[in-house]
Amino acid sequence: MNIPNWITFSRLLGIPLILYILKTPTNQNLWICLVIFLIASVTDFLDGYLARKLNQVSDLGKFLDPLADKLLVLAPLLGLIELGKVPAWGVFLILGRELTIAGWRVNQTQISGANIWGKLKTVSQIIAISLLIAPLPEFWATPAIIMFWIAVALTIVSGIIYLWPNQEVSNS
């Protein structure tokens, strides 16, 4: 296992910690959870960068990285459903998109990389989850849930664009 794969694997190790800490949502625990989530999120960018830079792209990494990405997003969202911070049906839309893309990829001989929509989706999900985890003043509840719905919308749009890359999205 190479360095990028170890970094990806470390992201998986953070997921149970995030879920465990969210079970007792004190301010201190939420800040700890947020730090773990953000560190894990940074590894998403770091492992891919290092894999390309060190010429260590591997089949294990191609499998493990997207799996870790999906679990890193879905795990805290499930915890946030339990805390009543996000509606289950919004998380279901994200889950549905992720399962659809994962199922579609299984049958592809060549997987295309993330486009700008996929990157916007990921960044919006990280921002939304961060805002929802952080024990911020009540004023931030509305911007946090708005960011969640932006992330849901970008998740759906990026999925549609990924499945139909030759289709152009109309600006009207």
Side-chain angles (χ1 to χ4, degrees):
M1 216 158 81
N2 59 35
I3 292 171
N5 289 343
W6 277 111
I7 292 170
T8 302
F9 186 71
S10 74
R11 188 160 65 249
L12 287 171
L13 295 177
I15 294 166
L17 288 170
I18 291 169
L19 288 171
Y20 180 76
I21 294 168
L22 281 176
K23 294 295 274 177
T24 313
T26 65
N27 279 355
Q28 180 180 352
N29 282 354
L30 291 173
W31 284 119
I32 292 168
C33 186
L34 177 62
V35 168
I36 293 168
F37 176 74
L38 290 174
I39 290 170
S41 296
V42 169
T43 69
D44 181 21
F45 300 102
L46 182 62
D47 60 5
Y49 170 78
L50 287 176
R52 289 183 297 278
K53 178 99 171 147
L54 301 174
N55 197 27
Q56 294 183 343
V57 175
S58 68
D59 288 338
L60 177 61
K62 289 178 185 177
F63 168 77
L64 200 57
D65 183 64
L67 174 65
D69 295 348
K70 287 165 186 28
L71 292 175
L72 180 64
V73 167
L74 292 168
L77 286 174
L78 293 174
L80 292 166
I81 290 171
E82 195 169 324
L83 295 175
K85 292 198 170 197
V86 294
W89 70 273
V91 175
F92 178 78
L93 291 173
I94 292 173
L95 175 63
R97 181 269 191 205
E98 298 302 347
L99 290 175
T100 300
I101 297 300
W104 183 83
R105 282 180 172 163
V106 168
N107 295 317
Q108 300 306 302
T109 56
Q110 185 176 5
I111 304 299
S112 61
N115 60 25
I116 187 66
W117 292 99
K119 292 174 196 256
L120 287 171
K121 168 201 73 120
T122 300
V123 169
S124 69
Q125 289 172 341
I126 291 168
I127 292 169
I129 292 167
S130 297
L131 288 172
L132 290 160
I133 289 174
L136 299 171
E138 188 61 34
F139 166 80
W140 285 95
T142 301
I145 199 69
I146 290 170
M147 193 64 217
F148 170 75
W149 288 114
I150 290 170
V152 170
L154 286 172
T155 299
I156 293 168
V157 167
S158 71
I160 291 168
I161 290 170
Y162 190 87
L163 291 174
W164 291 289
N166 295 325
Q167 300 288 326
E168 290 191 39
V169 177
S170 172
N171 290 334
S172 56

